[in-house]
């Protein structure tokens, strides 16, 4: 069987996280996020909004869940259980202001909260408002938390630095500086604070000590030092320093990217020498660590907190979108990509990813609007041209799709292996319109560019077999596709159908049975297996497969064929 024609163009993911040497940190960073997983009822009534919120959460529709939980909470404001659930949904959905207010509500109730996330947001709500005395007051009230050993000293130090109190900041960092596991983190923030307070000579000494360490714990201080030089007008010194460090660390992608940003006149992706930048970078780093592990939901939470503190940092939204796509919440991912600031040099990448997420969420109309808007700004953007072709092809508007694919192909001076898809997609459109000559030329071009691509091998091989052309070569193409993707039911169907069309009915049955096991609900595969059963004399099973195909929503043309076969069977072979 030919593969379905809704094949998506795979876009390469660009690394959005800060690369840094892994810190050796054995103490826990946060609590168990019990507000995400706790399922006990403390006596709250299960009225409508709460039930709706639970269902929305189960379906991972966190924005809707947050709205319903807030509605339930307004009906029963004293329910700690509902408030606890509402808090996490608000946090997860990125409604940070509301999450902060609810954290204050939860923490200041009798007994407070034992959830580290609530306590973090309780402190950060004051930090975000730049109420520095209140930050310290709230930190002192939550000093026994699991995150206190790391987060509390940093937030307290910056609350002093924001008030120009260097001794207070140094005293707050003392627990980190005296702990061998955390000393490098303390030294890092001390350098940022000296920079922030314009003690540039001391900051230089601190930055260079961190940079010149045999095994630096982070690359961020190197970028911060270069930025300090840049702000002082020493652009050459900033560029040379980052160039040396980039070379020293084998063209590390983070250092290389930040060097390019500064050379282009942009500030670093994260300005760590400010209260919000330093705290935000800390949560960004925590989120990145979780993102590289198996804790995607925890990573989303920390990225949300980072965005609360650094809403201007594009990298946060790119990583957040990637995490949400990984969690199969494409609508939320689209919203994250849309949050990348327009002035960011990463805006174009975010635009493409935003379109992809909208398509995954089924919001094709919104995706198409974005693509057309982008093409009005840049009619020659090849990625947008191909994406527009894809959208049109998926809704079977093959004639217009061919126009956009053709414009993309016309820009290819020397097609490369990575360009195979646009030829393949246009070939599919030509074939669907019945123009086999042009379709064959494009499919052969795609195969020449990427000789081992299973989609091309299968489609071209099947098309040849279906037309009685190049039968031996076509069989070889499909065999090659099977070798690479033995668990692809559609390619297995093609292989079985090749044997059917060449009269090897027994082998066709074996292969088509495998295809049905891999794709049990596909109408065409079941239809093919019914035909094969009939040819080997298994007529009762043939009718069963045809009926199953009929129940699996075949096309109108295929439905007519199946009904005829159910009525009269297959004609005798001549």
């Amino acid at each position: 069987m030919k593969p379905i024609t809704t094949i998506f163009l795979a876009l390469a993911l660009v690394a959005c996280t800060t690369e840094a040497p892994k810190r050796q940190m054995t103490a826990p960073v946060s609590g168990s996020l019990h507000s995400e997983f706790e399922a006990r009822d403390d006596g709250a009534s299960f009225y409508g909004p709460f039930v709706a919120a639970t269902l929305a959460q189960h379906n991972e529709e966190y924005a809707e869940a947050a709205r319903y939980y807030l509605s339930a909470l307004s009906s029963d404001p004293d329910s700690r259980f509902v408030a606890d659930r509402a808090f996490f949904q608000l946090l997860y959905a990125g409604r940070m202001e509301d999450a902060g207010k609810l954290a204050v509500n939860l923490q200041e109730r009798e007994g407070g909260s034992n959830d580290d996330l609530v306590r973090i947001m309780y402190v950060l709500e004051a930090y975000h408002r730049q109420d520095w005395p209140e930050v310290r007051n709230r930190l002192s009230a939550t000093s026994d938390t699991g995150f206190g050993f790391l987060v509390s000293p940093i937030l307290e130090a910056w609350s002093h630095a924001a008030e120009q109190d260097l001794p207070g900041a140094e005293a707050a960092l003392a627990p980190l500086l005296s702990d061998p596991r955390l000393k490098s983190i303390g030294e890092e923030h001390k350098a940022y604070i000296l920079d922030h307070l314009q003690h540039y000579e001391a900051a230089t000494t601190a930055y260079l000590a961190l940079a010149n360490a045999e095994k630096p714990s982070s690359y961020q201080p190197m970028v911060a030092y270069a930025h300090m030089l840049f702000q002082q007008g020493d652009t050459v010194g900033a560029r040379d320093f980052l160039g040396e460090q980039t070379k020293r660390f084998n063209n590390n992608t983070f250092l290389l990217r930040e060097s390019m940003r500064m050379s282009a006149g942009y500030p670093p992706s994260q300005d760590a020498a400010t209260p919000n930048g330093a705290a935000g970078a800390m949560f960004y780093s925590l989120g990145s660590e979780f993102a590289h592990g198996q804790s995607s939901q925890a990573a989303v939470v920390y990225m949300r907190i980072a965005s609360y503190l650094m809403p201007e940092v594009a990298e946060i939204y790119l990583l957040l979108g990637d995490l949400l796509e990984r969690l199969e919440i494409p609508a939320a991912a689209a919203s994250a990509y849309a949050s990348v600031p327009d002035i960011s040099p990463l805006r174009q990448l975010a635009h493409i990813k935003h379109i992809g997420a909208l398509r995954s969420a089924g919001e094709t109309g919104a995706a198409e609007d974005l693509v057309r808007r982008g093409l009005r700004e840049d009619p020659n953007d090849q990625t947008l041209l191909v994406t527009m072709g894809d959208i049109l092809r998926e809704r079977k508007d093959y004639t217009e799709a061919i126009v956009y694919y053709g414009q993309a192909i016309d820009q290819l001076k020397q097609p490369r292996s990575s360009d195979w898809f646009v030829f393949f997609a246009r070939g599919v459109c030509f074939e669907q319109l019945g123009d086999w000559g042009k379709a064959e030329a494009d499919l052969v071009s795609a195969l020449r560019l990427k000789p081992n691509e299973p989609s091309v091998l299968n489609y071209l091989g099947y098309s040849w077999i279906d037309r009685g052309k190049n039968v031996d070569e076509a069989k070889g193409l499909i065999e090659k596709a099977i070798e690479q993707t033995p668990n692809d039911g559609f390619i297995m169907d093609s292989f079985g159908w090749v044997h059917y069309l060449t009269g090897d009915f027994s082998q066709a049955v074996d292969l088509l049975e495998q295809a049905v096991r891999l794709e049990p609900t596909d109408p065409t595969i079941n239809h093919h297996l019914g035909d094969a059963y009939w040819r080997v004399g298994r007529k009762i099973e043939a009718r069963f497969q045809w009926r199953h195909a009929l129940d699996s929503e075949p096309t109108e043309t295929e439905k007519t064929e199946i009904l005829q076969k159910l009525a009269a069977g297959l004609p005798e072979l001549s």
Side-chain angles (χ1 to χ4, degrees), residues 366-377:
E368 183 176 345
D369 289 343
L370 278 182
V371 175
R372 291 190 183 277
R373 190 186 314 160
L375 285 172
R376 284 195 294 270
E377 296 173 3

Side-chain angles (χ1 to χ4, degrees), residues 415-427:
R416 297 172 297 177
S417 174
S418 57
D419 297 317
W420 71 272
F421 179 83
V422 66
F423 287 95
F424 173 71
R426 190 174 68 170

